[in-house]
């Protein structure tokens, strides 16, 4: 089994900063793309940022130039540094990882979600 464990998040005033991290552990051969998705109440889950294991990243339009995604391939951990936060960034942030286990089986995994709330 493979598990994703998220940490970070919380409550911050508008204009502030927060950081999230997500570590994959367990039966892992390769971790491919990792990323973060966000879901606000009554909306769909949208891409915030993603990063491949060679460091190529992409961002949702609303977070470009404010958020930075990075990863540690040795620790199988992805990080999201969020700055200049806005109330519309509020939501449940889910970690994502594409993982191949030692028997060659590919899984798409999701974390349990961590809440980010930005006050105005």
């Amino acid at each position: 089994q493979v598990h994703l464990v998220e940490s970070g998040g919380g409550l911050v005033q508008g204009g502030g900063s927060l950081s999230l991290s997500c570590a994959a552990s367990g039966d892992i051969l390769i971790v491919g793309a990792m990323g973060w998705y966000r879901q606000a109440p009554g909306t769909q889950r949208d891409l915030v940022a993603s990063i491949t294991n060679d460091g190529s990243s992409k961002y949702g339009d609303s977070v470009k130039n404010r958020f930075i995604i990075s990863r540690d391939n040795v620790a199988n951990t992805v990080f999201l540094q969020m700055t200049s936060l806005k109330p519309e960034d509020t939501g449940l942030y889910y970690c994502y990882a594409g993982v191949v286990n030692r028997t060659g089986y590919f899984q798409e995994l999701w974390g349990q979600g961590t809440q980010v709330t930005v006050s105005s």
Side-chain angles (χ1 to χ4, degrees):
Q1 280 190 325
V2 181
H3 303 279
L4 297 181
V5 178
E6 301 161 341
S7 60
L11 174 64
V12 66
Q13 278 194 327
S17 301
L18 280 175
S19 295
L20 306 179
S21 65
C22 173
S25 63
D27 179 17
I28 296 172
L29 178 63
I30 299 171
V31 179
M34 302 184 80
W36 295 92
Y37 286 71
R38 175 173 72 199
Q39 188 168 22
T43 70
Q44 65 182 16
R45 192 176 295 185
D46 290 326
L47 173 71
V48 175
S50 66
I51 185 168
T52 63
N53 54 13
D54 65 358
S56 298
S57 60
K58 62 179 179 181
Y59 296 88
D61 288 341
S62 66
V63 306
K64 286 179 180 176
N65 301 315
R66 296 190 298 122
F67 292 10
I68 297 175
I69 190 169
S70 61
R71 65 187 285 170
D72 180 337
N73 287 335
V74 174
N76 293 324
T77 301
V78 63
F79 306 94
L80 185 68
Q81 182 179 354
M82 304 181 289
T83 62
S84 301
L85 282 160
K86 305 174 182 179
E88 50 264 44
D89 294 317
T90 294
L92 199 55
Y93 282 66
Y94 293 93
C95 175
Y96 163 86
V99 177
V100 178
N101 69 11
R102 293 183 179 88
T103 62
Y105 178 65
F106 175 78
Q107 305 173 80
E108 292 186 311
L109 300 172
W110 294 91
Q112 77 279 7
T114 185
Q115 179 67 36
V116 171
T117 302
V118 184
S119 63
S120 56

